[in-house]
Amino acid sequence: MKRIVAGIVLSSASVMSFAGTAGGEGCGWGQMLFDGQSGTATHVLALTTNSSTGNNTFGVTSGTNGCNASGTISYGGKEMVNVGLFMDEFSSDVAQGDGEVLSAVAVSLGVAPEDREHFKASMHENFATLFPSENVTTEDVLAAIWSVMQNDETLAVYVS
């Protein structure tokens, strides 16, 4: 069940879209082969072409294949962890200091097994910070999680 919840937590995140693409726009053979085309299948095929042949890695390091490393990479999607679908269950788990959704979020954030109990305890101790009102949004909860983790000596390594 934990794997299902973790998978849903991760898969419910929005589709990643890079505002500044690694290697620059048009980097790799996949971009060249599918230039001017659109659609999910086309994007998947272009990405698969690039990743399976390693040509964009070569392009970035050699300055060929339409690639360059001069731009800044930026992420234009939402956070990778989405607790919005399980807000009620997550808040209940945080209030109790344990539960499947809380464990799934810890796993999704990459918290090592030896630190997960500490993560759960820290979230529990900061329940009022994570959920200051009934109308708290997913973005507010995620921001509070990051803040709590950044201010915790053990958990700060996972958000740096």
Side-chain angles (χ1 to χ4, degrees):
M1 182 65 177
K2 288 181 183 177
R3 290 183 182 179
I4 293 171
V5 172
I8 291 171
V9 167
L10 286 172
S11 66
S12 63
S14 68
V15 174
M16 294 184 346
S17 61
F18 289 91
T21 306
E25 294 294 325
C27 175
W29 295 346
Q31 310 309 105
M32 181 180 67
L33 289 172
F34 299 99
D35 185 35
Q37 298 181 34
S38 62
T40 303
T42 303
H43 282 263
V44 169
L45 288 171
L47 291 170
T48 302
T49 300
N50 287 342
S51 63
S52 64
T53 61
N55 67 81
N56 55 348
T57 302
F58 175 76
V60 168
T61 55
S62 66
T64 60
N65 296 338
C67 305
N68 74 66
S70 62
T72 302
I73 299 172
S74 61
Y75 177 69
K78 291 184 177 180
E79 299 289 341
M80 292 299 292
V81 177
N82 187 350
V83 296
L85 295 174
F86 303 99
M87 188 67 92
D88 290 340
E89 293 86 354
F90 182 67
S91 65
S92 177
D93 286 0
V94 171
Q96 297 172 21
D98 197 10
E100 289 185 353
V101 175
L102 183 56
S103 295
V105 169
V107 170
S108 300
L109 293 173
V111 176
E114 61 271 17
D115 292 332
R116 290 183 189 152
E117 290 305 316
H118 180 76
F119 173 84
K120 293 175 185 179
S122 181
M123 294 299 118
H124 175 69
E125 292 167 8
N126 289 285
F127 181 87
T129 302
L130 272 60
F131 302 99
S133 73
E134 290 182 20
N135 301 323
V136 67
T137 66
T138 300
E139 289 77 17
D140 294 337
V141 172
L142 287 172
I145 291 171
W146 300 138
S147 177
V148 167
M149 291 178 73
Q150 286 174 335
N151 293 319
D152 184 284
E153 189 174 302
T154 303
L155 301 175
V157 296
Y158 300 106
V159 293
S160 59

